[in-house]
Structure formats: C-alpha cells, structure tokens
Amino acid sequence: MRDLTPLEARVLGVLVEKAATVPDTYPLSLNALVAGCNQKTAREPVINATDAEVLTAIDGLKRSSLVFDASSTRVTRYEHNAARGLNVDGASAALLAVLMLRGPQTAAELRANVERLHRFTDIAAVEACLQALSDRYPPRAVRLERAPGARESRWAHLLSGEAALPAAIATGPAEGGGGSGGSLGADAVSAGELAALKGQIERQGEELARLRALVLRMAAELGIDPADEPSDEPPAPAAD
C-alpha cells in the first residue's frame, strides 16, 4: 500500500475514532469529518483543513479501499475500512488511529488515549500489540529512539512513511533554569500519569466538597456557626 498523506492519515484516524465514540452519528458527513480533523483537543498537530482538502483526502483513501461511501443516506456519509484495508485486527486499528490523531506516544499514553476505542488489560498488552505491528511486513508501527531526558520510548505509525519524534520532544528539556539539579525532563512524568494525577485531584476536590456540605448541614442542625473559631482559652471553672 502506498504511503498516506498526513491529511489522509488524519481523516482515517477520525473515522476510526468516531465509529467507536459517536456511533449514533456514524458514518460521518463531510461537515462532521472536517470538524473531527480540525479539533483543537486530542489532535497533534492541530490543523485547519478545508472541505475541499478533506474531500481530496477521502478520494485518496477510497482508491486505497480504506474509506467507502455509506449507502442509503440522503447526505453522503463516509465510513472506514481500516482493519481490513490495513490487514490488522481491531485492537491494532485502534492503536494506529490514536497514533495518526495524536502523534508519537509512549505505551502508557496510548493505553490511556485508546481507552474509548479499545480496552487493553495493561500496558504490556499495548506493547505486545505494538511489537506485532512493528514485526510484520511491511511494518505498521515503530519504536522511536528515546528522547533526551525521557524515561520511555515513544511509538509512531508508519502509514505515512518514516516517522520521527516532533522537534519539541526530540531536542529534550531546555538547558539552564537554575538550581543544582538542572531542569526536570519534559517527559519525566508521562501524559498518562499526569491524567491519572489530575483525575485523583478532581476526585479529592469532589470528596472535600461533599464533606464540607455535610459539616455545614450538621452545624445548622446543632445551631453552631461554622465560622466561629474555637477559643484557645481553657473553659471557666464552674461556679460553686
């Protein structure tokens, strides 16, 4: 199969993603597909493709039997044929879609980002699937060299030819910044770990709000003003 253009890869990734995340509106109309390509979140890089550019990409994907027109609809809609067209299973198609949409990622990041498309039991299962994609011929994925300061290697798809780390990652952390320990590597904490920490903080905030509401309700029932601070002075002795 010929190499896909970057926009063809983006279109194919969007179709695989939306088939899993918004099945009620799938297959996608051109407007929905353009909006998915130009999303500002969960996309790397962020682009601003026009309707005409996306249509050109769709035509290219059709010629490669990776996209088809959906039948029996008034408005032309499009559906993917990624698994069969790329000769991979559903789990592999999901990983490739996330790589096409978000660029090179670690196995931990991929497991977090692919969750809505396919659930892997653990990171080892993700790595096994990626390794199978790398070992086949032609290879569909590749493990990239570890970036300076990074703890883990990133994986990239090979559907658009040879892959490389984005420049901002490949150059590693900026030098200087003061302090004897130097600056912390940009990848010292992975995106998956950051997402987990953010979720934990949000849950703790919700729990704190519930506890505060409970304290206020109990204070109201007991006739206590929660704003009153307890006195540090010992209680006065009882009168004889």
Side-chain angles (χ1 to χ4, degrees):
M1 188 188 74
R2 67 174 179 83
D3 292 343
L4 303 181
T5 68
L7 186 53
E8 287 173 343
R10 175 63 60 90
V11 168
L12 184 60
V14 169
L15 287 171
V16 176
E17 177 192 61
K18 300 305 183 183
T21 59
V22 288
D24 292 343
T25 58
Y26 182 86
L28 300 185
S29 65
L30 176 61
N31 286 342
L33 189 48
V34 172
C37 288
N38 295 340
Q39 275 183 212
K40 305 303 181 187
T41 59
R43 300 289 184 266
E44 178 60 40
V46 173
I47 65 173
N48 188 27
T50 65
D51 290 9
E53 290 170 337
V54 171
L55 279 173
T56 299
I58 290 172
D59 289 340
L61 291 168
K62 286 181 182 178
R63 289 193 294 272
S64 297
S65 299
L66 291 170
V67 168
F68 295 106
D69 291 348
S71 59
S72 303
T73 59
R74 290 186 213 170
V75 177
T76 303
R77 294 177 179 270
Y78 306 97
E79 57 184 322
H80 75 85
N81 186 41
R84 182 174 297 180
L86 298 174
N87 192 25
V88 297
D89 59 18
S92 299
L95 285 175
L96 289 171
V98 174
L99 288 171
M100 287 187 279
L101 293 175
R102 295 179 179 234
Q105 298 156 75
T106 66
E109 291 168 341
L110 280 167
R111 187 190 178 208
N113 293 331
V114 81
E115 180 75 12
R116 297 176 67 191
L117 281 65
H118 181 87
R119 180 167 294 181
F120 287 89
T121 54
D122 51 30
I123 296 175
V126 175
E127 291 177 333
C129 191
L130 290 167
Q131 192 61 53
L133 287 170
S134 177
D135 291 341
R136 59 172 293 161
Y137 184 82
R140 301 299 191 192
V142 62
R143 187 196 298 269
L144 302 174
E145 291 187 12
R146 192 166 56 186
R151 295 189 304 171
E152 302 174 56
S153 298
R154 283 179 164 84
W155 288 83
H157 73 86
L158 291 174
L159 301 177
S160 298
E162 293 187 13
L165 282 172
I169 297 173
T171 55
E175 296 183 2
S180 59
S183 61
L184 184 63
D187 196 47
V189 179
S190 71
E193 292 169 326
L194 286 175
L197 288 172
K198 182 179 178 181
Q200 183 179 3
I201 292 172
E202 290 176 350
R203 289 191 296 272
Q204 289 175 343
E206 293 170 357
E207 181 65 21
L208 182 60
R210 286 194 294 269
L211 289 174
R212 183 174 185 277
L214 176 62
V215 169
L216 291 175
R217 185 167 65 250
M218 294 176 62
E221 293 174 353
L222 296 173
I224 300 173
D225 185 353
D228 292 340
E229 297 183 1
S231 174
D232 294 332
E233 297 180 0
D240 294 336

